[in-house]
Amino acid sequence: LSLGTSVHAGNYMRKQTDDEGLLDYEIDSAPLSPPGDDEPLIAKQFSKDPHAGEDKVALVLSGDNNQDEIIGYFCDFEFDQANKDPSEAPRYIDFYGESRHCQEHQVALPLHEIAEACRKKDGASYIAPDAFILHQPKSGSSILSNMLAASRTDIRMISEPTAIGEIVKCEKCDSDLKVQTLKDAIYLLGRDQEEGQLFVKLNARNTIGLPVLTEAFPDSKYLYLYRDPETVLQKLMNKKHEKRVCEGYRHIPGEAVSKFLAKHNKSLDSLESEEKACAAVMAAHMSLVLEELENDVTSGRLVSYEELLDDESIEDLFDYLEVYTPNWTKVNKQRNKRANTGHGEEWIGESLPVATEKVQSATAEFSMFLGA
C-alpha cells in the first residue's frame, strides 16, 4: 500500500503499524509549500499521471488496466436519521448527503486490506445480511424498508448502498473477486451492528446481481417485490429521468439482458422504443429471479405490491424475515408516509396512471416473463 502524501486542507495522511501489526492511519500537519519547492499547490493535490505523454485513445483501445486492487471510499456518518424516522432518510445516499465529512474529507483506501485489518481487530471473519431486498421500480420497496427500519431499534436497514451496487453491476468482473469484494463491503457496512438484524435493499437495476449475492451469502434470504407491469412501466415513462434510462437500455442493455434476448430469439434491434427496452429489462430480471427460486425455493420469496397494503400479509412477511415483536405503531406510521422523498410527508394515496398503447404493447410482448 502506497498512499504517499495527500495535501488537503493543510494535512497529510500516513500509514503506520501498531504493536499488533494492525493498520493505523494518522493525520499530521503538513506545510503547504516546502522550502525551495516552486511546484504550484494545486498540482500537489494530484498524483503523478503514470501514463503522461502516452496516447490515451490507444490506451483505451488496448484495454490495459493496471488496477490490481479494489479501492473503497470511506467517510464518517451516522445512522441516527433512520432511527428517528426512516422516511426522512430512506436511502444510503441520504446519510451520505447529510455528512459534511463525506463531502469534504473522504479517503480512498484498499478495500480488502482495510476489511482484513478490521476483521483482525474485531476478532471476527464474516457478516451476512439477514435478507436482501430486490425489486422492480415503483413496487413498494421503500415502504417495506422503512417499515422494517422502524419496527425494532436493533434493526439496521441499508438501502441502496452505492458500494454494493457498483460491485454487482460489474458484469465482466471476475466472479471470485466480486464475491470477496461483496463480503468485504458488507462486513465494513455492518461491523458496528453488535446485535439485531441487518437488511440490505438494492437499487432495482442491480437485480442482475442476485446470483453473486446468493453465492457470497448462501444463508441470507432475499425478497423480490413486483407490481402490475403496466403500472410500473407507465410510471417510468411519466418521469423524464427514468425514460432516459430506458432509452439507454436500447443501446447498452447489459450482458444479462442481452443473454435474455438471445435466449428468446430477440435482437437488440427489436427494442424499438423506450417502453420495449424497459419491459425487456423487467422481464430479464424477473426471469433471473424465477431461475434462482427454482434452484432454492427456501431462501427467496416473491412479494406483490398488494401484500404491502394488507395487515395480515405484512405480519406474515415479517415472520418470514424473523422480525419478531415489532413495534406495530411505528410500522403503521411508515405505511402512512411517502416513502422515498426524504421529507416524511403524509401519504394520501395515488391515482394509477392510464397505460398508453405503447406501454400496453410492450408489456404484452413480454407478459409471460413479467407476471409472477
Side-chain angles (χ1 to χ4, degrees), residues 237-311:
M237 292 301 105
N238 289 347
K239 299 287 187 180
K240 289 183 178 180
H241 168 71
E242 301 288 1
K243 193 171 183 178
R244 287 196 295 268
V245 171
C246 292
E247 171 65 24
Y249 287 137
R250 293 182 59 201
H251 310 287
I252 309 175
E255 185 176 325
V257 178
S258 296
K259 287 182 177 179
F260 170 81
L261 293 172
K263 181 178 179 180
H264 298 285
N265 299 316
K266 292 181 179 293
S267 67
L268 187 58
D269 293 336
S270 69
L271 306 182
E272 55 198 25
S273 66
E274 295 95 337
E275 289 85 354
K276 286 193 175 182
C278 262
V281 171
M282 290 165 57
H285 289 179
M286 178 63 84
S287 179
L288 184 151
V289 172
L290 293 176
E291 288 178 7
E292 286 295 317
L293 286 172
E294 287 181 4
N295 295 332
D296 183 357
V297 297
T298 61
S299 295
R301 175 169 170 172
L302 295 172
V303 180
S304 71
Y305 176 78
E306 288 70 26
E307 291 181 62
L308 302 180
L309 307 178
D310 177 73
D311 291 343

Side-chain angles (χ1 to χ4, degrees), residues 111 212 224 228 231 245:
L111 182 68
V212 72
Y224 186 69
D228 169 62
T231 299
V245 171

Side-chain angles (χ1 to χ4, degrees), residues 20-93:
E20 298 178 355
L22 297 178
L23 286 175
D24 187 23
Y25 294 90
E26 274 193 0
I27 302 295
D28 288 345
S29 176
L32 293 180
S33 298
D37 189 347
D38 296 328
E39 186 177 10
L41 177 60
I42 294 297
K44 296 177 183 298
Q45 299 186 47
F46 300 91
S47 62
K48 299 297 183 182
D49 181 2
H51 303 295
E54 298 182 52
D55 185 339
K56 302 303 190 294
V57 174
L59 283 172
V60 172
L61 293 176
S62 70
D64 288 341
N65 186 355
N66 294 322
Q67 182 66 47
D68 57 357
E69 59 187 2
I70 306 298
I71 300 299
Y73 292 88
F74 297 82
C75 61
D76 182 22
F77 66 85
E78 301 292 339
F79 285 93
D80 291 347
Q81 298 170 86
N83 294 335
K84 295 174 184 176
D85 185 345
S87 68
E88 294 185 2
R91 292 177 296 266
Y92 191 80
I93 193 67

Side-chain angles (χ1 to χ4, degrees), residues 115-159:
E116 286 293 278
C118 288
R119 290 184 178 105
K120 184 175 181 180
K121 180 178 185 299
D122 299 342
S125 60
Y126 183 71
I127 291 176
D130 290 83
F132 291 98
I133 299 174
L134 302 100
H135 56 98
Q136 291 179 345
K138 319 298 182 184
S139 61
S141 64
S142 294
I143 296 174
L144 176 60
S145 62
N146 289 353
M147 288 193 296
L148 285 169
S151 65
R152 292 180 58 98
T153 57
D154 60 354
I155 281 180
R156 172 168 293 178
M157 167 59 68
I158 303 178
S159 183

